[in-house]
Amino acid sequence: MLLFTVFPYVAIVVCIAGCLYRKRADSVGTSASSWLERKSPLWNWIPWHIWLLLILCGHLLAFLFPHFWSKMVYLPILLITIEAIGVTVTVVGMIGLILLLTNHLFSRRLIGIITPIDMLILLLLLVQFVFGLTTVIVYRWSASWSISTTTPYLWSLLALKPDASFIADLPFLVKSHIMTAWLFIFLLPFSNLRHVFTLPLRAIQRSTYRSIWNVEMAADQSHSEERRQFLLGIGTLAVGGAIISTGAVEKLLSYVFSVHLSQHEESKVLGTRLERLHMTVEQKQLEYERLQNDFILVAPFAELTPTTGKYFIDYEMRPALAFKGSDGFPLLISAKCTHLGCTVGNQVTKGKILCPCHVSYFDIKTGEPSAGAPAKAPLPLLGWVIRDAQGQEIMAKAADGTITGHVDPKSLQGYSVYIAKRDAAEGGA
Amino acid sequence: MLNTIIRAVSGFVLERFPPEKLNYHSMIEKKEVPVHRMHWAYYMGGLALFFFIIQVVTGLLLIFYYQPTVSDAHASVQFLTEHVPNGALIRNMHAWSASCMILLVLLHLLTSFAMKAFGKPREVTWLAGVLLLFVTFVFGFSGYLLPWNQIAVNATKVVLQSLDLVGNLLPKAIAHFPTMLRMAIQGEPSVGQMTLSRFYVIHVLILPIALAALLAVHLLSVQLHGMSPGVDQPAKKQEKFFPFFILKDLAVWAIAFLLLYIVARSLPFDAFVSYPLTRPYNALGSTPDGIKPEWYFFFVYYPLEMLPFWVIALAMMMLVLALFMVPWMFQKTPRRWLHILASVGACYLIISTVFGETIYHLLKGGK
């Protein structure tokens, strides 16, 4: 545990002291900045620094503003975003570092500028990248759990009350990541990389330019530039295409081949299908009945109420509503809105029913739409027939209002309400 | 007389499709794209094409599981979404990409109009483009019905019923045509199995063929005549179409694909529709509240709710006619005016789509 409580201070002191000492010893500028001036053929150190800074900023944010940070990672979507950005930046930074390292290893110009200790510290950085990336992948949501582990640990160091118990339970991998960080700080003053503190801004500001000697050379250059761009484009296309196709093929294969249902799911799916088939059959039966029978049962009279309509299907297979009218007799009205054919609602408010599509109110007694409604034509009233249990016709009202037979409305309880084909045939409905 | 007509027609066609240019060299190698401040607009058509390609691929995949019958349509879609690996992803991609395609087609229309891309000899390109626009809208309309849920069937009913209303406005002799058309699409007295089968065939067979044919004409004439200059002052810089513009085009496609993938992964397109409306259609129940078309019909739907039907019908007819007449109507109009017109059109589309519902409720609020 001493490694995590004492060594950090040692590392920081060595780092600061070392840097100060070397700065005094050095002439103006650092030799690190002189690397930056040399443009390597393909990869440049400068953009890579941006990635490195981004990663550092991510770590610093969690350390400096734990409260704000915890609020952010509390939202799953932000947590995922942060992790995704973190991984992306790390991967890019790592690839960049590997490319730069190999490039510089084989570049003769830079031998002598990169010292062995520089190389060591760069390799250490690479190892650090690997540790960090593995941590993020193996122990998910590090942006979230670091708030209660590494952040208080770092704060305890800052408060000069080092407490390693915060990180005591962390896996070896994470501890290695932290240890490597201290080691990195410790070694920094011995390498040329300490320029992070001297910030050779001049080198960044200085524009890079090429000397072009004559027109032929310029033409040649633009031609090769064009070819380079083309090859780069084709290359990117090939790589991108390969990545996308790999993902797409994987998804397609599983889409086509890997439908596996548990027995429970399978029976549920089949149940739904049967239920729907049943509904379709019912609908077809309704049609068939209407072709076959002269009378269709709407409802037993006792089930009708003045306030909630009972839906039924008329002879033209259109929806209709049955109410108990204020005169005590049945009241049958079409429910297909005369505006655009929506099905009208069955709740009566103030003697009116409502079509929800475009807000038309219809009077149930007359079928007339209220003034200003989108519907202009009234809902047609339907004829009805009252029959007793034996199928004897007791009373009927045709669509045009003609009433045949008469019974006291109070004695209707045992009878049922029907619609008749003869009314439909007359074109009344 | 006949000779003059034949000569005029062949002259017109030859000018639009010059045979001497029908080769690789002039259609691909020589083609250049002007670089100016409206340069971004040259990507719109390609992007619309990209979304169409997505539609074809995801659509083909959806047919693997979709069953176009009234009893199974909804259940098969539900099965696809819940039990098939990546089924929800592919369905979401299809739906989001449909919206994107319509958005891009509209943008493409407005920018091409503003850049005067319809000028001679590009009239055929424009006409094919307008037809493509209609095909795209019918695609959206026919695809809407296929899941056979409450909102889909009821909205379809409303639109089909509106055709009858159009008939009332026409002269007696042709007044029954819209109803005949409705019956031809609907197939039975009420929206049912026949309607679903016909919409399905229209959506997966007729429209794709129509679109492919129109697209061939559209793209052929684009390649033949090259990009329109787009601005009054000829651009100082040109960019080679092949390979540079096309590579950039592909880069834009890649970004679009990434965004589409993220959205389709994380956001079900029907998350904006309340649950009762996504339940299976119930022929015997009442129409639920909140039936409305997809957002790309709002620009005609909300005015329809607020103004008399004949006003909208007339306006729509005029608009369609005007779209076909654009190459001749605006032949002499300076680009500045076209810019203003296109901006007005864009403003109208944005306002009616984004605020249409709010305005409608403000006006109808009391009732």
Side-chain angles (χ1 to χ4, degrees), chain B residues 46-251:
Chain B
L47 214 43
L49 172 65
F50 164 74
F51 285 117
F52 175 64
I53 295 170
I54 295 280
Q55 288 308 84
V56 172
V57 175
T58 52
L60 275 173
L61 288 169
L62 290 176
I63 311 180
F64 275 51
Y65 289 98
Y66 177 73
Q67 296 170 320
T69 66
V70 288
S71 46
D72 284 329
H74 189 275
S76 67
V77 171
Q78 197 173 7
F79 178 80
L80 172 95
T81 318
E82 287 172 10
H83 298 298
V84 178
N86 300 310
L89 172 73
I90 286 170
R91 186 173 172 228
N92 271 329
M93 273 182 111
H94 195 71
W96 282 121
S97 163
S99 282
C100 292
M101 183 176 162
I102 290 190
L103 185 74
L104 262 302
V105 165
L106 287 173
L107 265 173
H108 186 41
L109 176 93
L110 287 171
T111 50
S112 313
F113 179 77
M115 290 162 79
K116 209 171 183 176
F118 49 75
K120 198 179 169 187
R122 298 189 174 84
E123 297 98 329
V124 177
T125 323
W126 176 268
L127 290 183
V130 172
L131 288 174
L132 280 169
L133 173 76
F134 295 137
V135 170
T136 311
F137 272 116
V138 181
F139 251 125
F141 173 63
S142 56
Y144 199 47
L145 178 71
L146 300 185
W148 205 251
N149 51 29
Q150 288 278 33
I151 188 167
V153 181
N154 284 300
T156 305
K157 274 185 176 180
V158 169
V159 174
L160 288 176
Q161 207 72 32
S162 311
L163 282 176
D164 285 10
L165 297 184
V166 175
N168 298 342
L169 302 172
L170 295 176
K172 268 259 160 57
I174 52 165
H176 58 286
F177 280 161
T179 312
M180 276 171 64
L181 176 66
R182 173 173 70 81
M183 288 309 290
I185 308 170
Q186 197 169 303
E188 55 189 321
S190 185
V191 171
Q193 178 60 55
M194 282 294 217
T195 324
L196 179 58
S197 303
R198 288 178 189 195
F199 269 57
Y200 182 62
V201 169
I202 290 173
H203 191 79
V204 305
L205 196 64
I206 298 175
L207 289 180
I209 292 174
L211 197 139
L214 286 167
L215 196 62
V217 175
H218 193 71
L219 289 181
L220 177 68
S221 50
V222 168
Q223 291 307 96
L224 272 177
H225 302 300
M227 297 297 188
S228 84
V231 284
D232 288 329
Q233 300 290 326
K236 288 191 191 93
K237 241 177 98 185
Q238 300 279 328
E239 186 178 44
K240 277 200 146 181
F241 174 74
F242 184 83
F244 294 110
F245 184 77
I246 223 161
L247 278 176
K248 279 158 88 180
D249 225 5
L250 287 174

Side-chain angles (χ1 to χ4, degrees), chain A residues 26-46:
Chain A
D26 275 351
S27 54
V28 184
T30 66
S31 53
S33 68
S34 65
W35 312 1
L36 293 170
E37 285 163 27
R38 290 164 198 254
K39 202 168 191 290
S40 53
L42 203 61
W43 295 91
N44 197 308
W45 283 100
I46 298 171

